[in-house]
Amino acid sequence: MSTHAKVRKAIFPAAGFGTRFLPATKSIPKEMLALVDKPIIQYGVEEALAAGCDQIVIVTGRGKSAIEDHFDVSYELECTLEKRGKTDLLALSRQVSHMVRLSYVRQKEAMGLGHAVLMARDLVGDEPFAVILPDDVIDSETPCLKQMMDVFEKVQSSIVATQVIEGDAISAYGVLDGKPVPDNPRLFDVSGLVEKPKPAEAPSKNAIIGRYILTPKIFDLLEHTPLGAGGELQLTDGIKGLLETEKVYGYSFEGVRHDAGDKFGMLRATVEFALKREDLGPAFRDYLKTLKL
Ligand code: UTP
């Protein structure tokens, strides 16, 4: 990796089963569930592009072909829309397929997030890269990954996005140990991390969420990390390895994160995103006001 490297590539792990969203995810990839009218993975792809990435790598698995179709050209659809003079809808469809060059790599078995990231090694090579978990949809003024890129420009080290999680819910996350960096209140110097700790054993309330910038060293580490609980290769084990030789930072992003891979999180995101829409917001707000809650 060069001394002043730029992040150009973003990996989207999308090969999981999405069990929290069954039965919808039995045949529809979780990443294709619509938040208002856009599949959740498209929010992430747009964020990566807005942050300056120009190569997107999606890690898919069996039953995920709808993701590839979504980002592909749909001649029949576009032709029909053109004939019917539906120019707005035509533009929406074309915008997706013309968005960016995407590559796909297959994870044959869902062996964990670390394993999914490792599958993209050949496409990423020896340069720093971003990882976006598509079910974390982040609503922020400056796209979350762009905020992290700005920090990366200065520190040239791995950065994981974090959010304060209160109470027992912390046990569902990787949790950071570390101390704040004096001149940047959003930045932590990470000294350790624990995957899914019991609430009493969590080293802090700073949970890792689905945005990472990682140095390519992590690939070697993941390659040599034994499979952990449930036969899964954890990305956090690779990050722990990085900590032995490199700096890793936690970044408390500006914005609101929605866990759209969870039913309640998706409902909350739907209400908030719909209320913000110029075309839907006013009527939706009026409707919500009529509900006797
Ligand atoms: P999650 O744990 O949220 O996804 O992983 P999941 O396993 O699909 O969901 P649940 O918990 O059963 O509902 C975060 C991201 O990592 C991907 C998932 O597709 C998701 O986008 N992932 C996870 C992989 O690509 N491969 C894996 O082996 C595991």
Side-chain angles (χ1 to χ4, degrees):
M1 192 177 115
S2 74
T3 46
H4 196 87
K6 265 201 143 2
V7 178
R8 302 180 305 134
K9 299 176 181 173
I11 303 179
F12 285 73
F17 290 119
T19 55
R20 285 172 299 154
F21 229 114
L22 281 168
T25 44
K26 203 174 161 197
S27 68
I28 298 168
K30 170 173 72 172
E31 300 74 16
M32 287 302 295
L33 294 175
L35 171 50
V36 185
D37 55 2
K38 210 193 281 184
I40 57 175
I41 192 167
Q42 192 178 331
Y43 289 88
V45 170
E46 288 173 0
E47 181 182 327
L49 299 183
C53 293
D54 56 11
Q55 291 181 50
I56 305 290
V57 179
I58 302 185
V59 184
T60 65
R62 268 186 300 282
K64 300 278 186 170
S65 55
I67 300 177
E68 292 180 46
D69 290 342
H70 178 67
F71 289 106
D72 201 356
V73 175
S74 174
Y75 290 109
E76 299 85 344
L77 174 66
E78 290 183 13
C79 208
T80 307
L81 292 174
E82 201 157 24
K83 269 194 217 142
R84 292 184 187 164
K86 305 263 187 199
T87 45
D88 291 1
L89 296 178
L90 183 61
L92 273 183
S93 171
R94 285 203 172 137
Q95 189 198 349
V96 179
S97 48
H98 294 188
M99 210 176 254
V100 67
R101 197 167 290 256
L102 292 113
S103 317
Y104 295 91
V105 61
R106 199 111 166 162
Q107 185 188 24
K108 288 186 184 154
E109 259 182 274
M111 288 164 70
L113 184 53
H115 185 258
V117 169
L118 190 54
M119 295 298 101
R121 179 176 198 164
D122 289 347
L123 290 169
V124 171
D126 187 30
E127 51 183 280
F129 60 96
V131 177
I132 290 191
L133 303 192
D135 30 357
D136 275 348
V137 178
I138 298 180
D139 187 14
S140 57
E141 217 159 277
T142 305
C144 179
L145 189 62
K146 172 78 173 85
Q147 297 175 42
M148 295 168 72
M149 294 281 211
D150 292 344
V151 177
F152 181 81
E153 276 282 302
K154 296 187 191 109
V155 300
Q156 295 282 308
S157 303
S158 297
I159 306 169
V160 297
T162 74
Q163 180 186 351
V164 169
I165 299 287
E166 302 288 348
D168 291 358
I170 196 82
S171 315
Y173 295 85
V175 184
L176 297 181
D177 197 358
K179 48 180 190 315
V181 172
D183 60 351
N184 187 340
R186 294 196 174 275
L187 212 55
F188 302 84
D189 193 341
V190 177
S191 56
L193 53 95
V194 188
E195 181 64 23
K196 299 191 174 62
K198 294 199 180 98
E201 287 160 17
S204 74
K205 290 180 179 178
N206 296 313
I208 302 176
I209 59 101
R211 299 289 182 278
Y212 310 75
I213 293 178
L214 298 167
T215 58
K217 172 112 194 275
I218 195 142
F219 290 126
D220 276 336
L221 293 161
L222 288 172
E223 199 97 59
H224 296 106
T225 304
L227 299 182
E232 293 212 337
L233 181 52
Q234 303 289 350
L235 185 59
T236 42
D237 283 339
I239 299 173
K240 266 192 211 160
L242 277 183
L243 272 173
E244 288 174 20
T245 54
E246 295 182 0
K247 277 228 172 268
V248 175
Y249 291 96
Y251 177 74
S252 161
F253 63 97
E254 170 278 311
V256 177
R257 162 188 163 258
H258 297 280
D259 181 359
D262 164 80
K263 291 173 190 174
F264 186 81
M266 178 63 113
L267 285 172
R268 203 184 68 151
T270 303
V271 171
E272 292 194 13
F273 276 60
L275 284 173
K276 282 188 180 185
R277 285 271 294 251
E278 269 177 31
D279 55 344
L280 298 167
F284 190 48
R285 178 168 280 107
D286 288 346
Y287 163 69
L288 289 178
K289 282 187 187 155
T290 67
L291 297 178
K292 292 194 175 45
L293 299 172

